[in-house]
Amino acid sequence: MPISLFHRDKPTLKVPLISKDARFIAWPGTNIWKATMGYVVLEKGEANAPHTHAFSDDTIFVLEGTGIARDYTNNLDIPVYAGCAVNVPQGIEHAILADHDGRMVNIGGPSPADLGMLKHIGVISMEAEVPED
């Protein structure tokens, strides 16, 4: 497969579960299976739904703003700000919350792609599996 190019302003999937403006840029729907890249804008006070990735680590890089990375599994609130990278190991229930001072913009996503979540929200087939190389 050759190199692929995607743009945040031309997402192939928007996921309101994550935020009012959550764009999946690279994911199985674009034939990317081993990683995902999303672009997420959380407005002032907005948070994504607490969730867990059973078989994926989630990496989130904060481009703009401040907020909290909430680890529900370990009862931790970790302040995050522009320039921080957050790594959430598989199986940790978590959410990202925008600070009350303003919006927060981040990029990232689960790696490998979280097929269970994508199947649950109905954007890939229940029979989908990571293709063998």
Side-chain angles (χ1 to χ4, degrees):
M1 178 193 308
I3 292 174
S4 301
L5 180 66
F6 307 98
H7 194 280
R8 71 156 192 240
D9 294 338
K10 296 179 181 177
T12 56
L13 176 65
K14 292 186 107 181
V15 185
L17 165 78
I18 297 171
S19 81
K20 288 182 250 178
D21 187 4
R23 310 168 198 182
F24 274 31
I25 310 303
W27 64 290
T30 59
N31 206 30
I32 307 297
W33 294 84
K34 299 201 174 149
T36 54
M37 175 64 68
Y39 176 85
V40 176
V41 177
L42 291 164
E43 295 299 334
K44 179 179 175 178
E46 187 179 11
N48 49 51
H51 60 285
T52 303
H53 303 287
F55 303 104
S56 308
D57 283 4
D58 197 357
T59 303
I60 301 144
F61 184 81
V62 181
L63 295 171
E64 175 186 320
T66 61
I68 299 290
R70 180 158 291 153
D71 176 337
Y72 290 93
T73 302
N74 296 293
N75 195 31
L76 296 171
D77 280 349
I78 301 163
V80 297
Y81 50 90
C84 287
V86 178
N87 178 258
V88 181
Q90 70 182 40
I92 299 293
E93 185 178 16
H94 63 285
I96 303 297
L97 300 81
D99 198 274
H100 295 291
D101 292 337
R103 77 182 201 151
M104 184 169 136
V105 179
N106 63 67
I107 58 172
S111 181
D114 187 339
L115 299 186
M117 177 188 73
L118 296 170
K119 289 175 182 181
H120 177 76
I121 63 175
V123 297
I124 63 171
S125 161
M126 292 302 274
E127 292 78 34
E129 292 186 27
V130 176
E132 294 192 27
D133 292 333

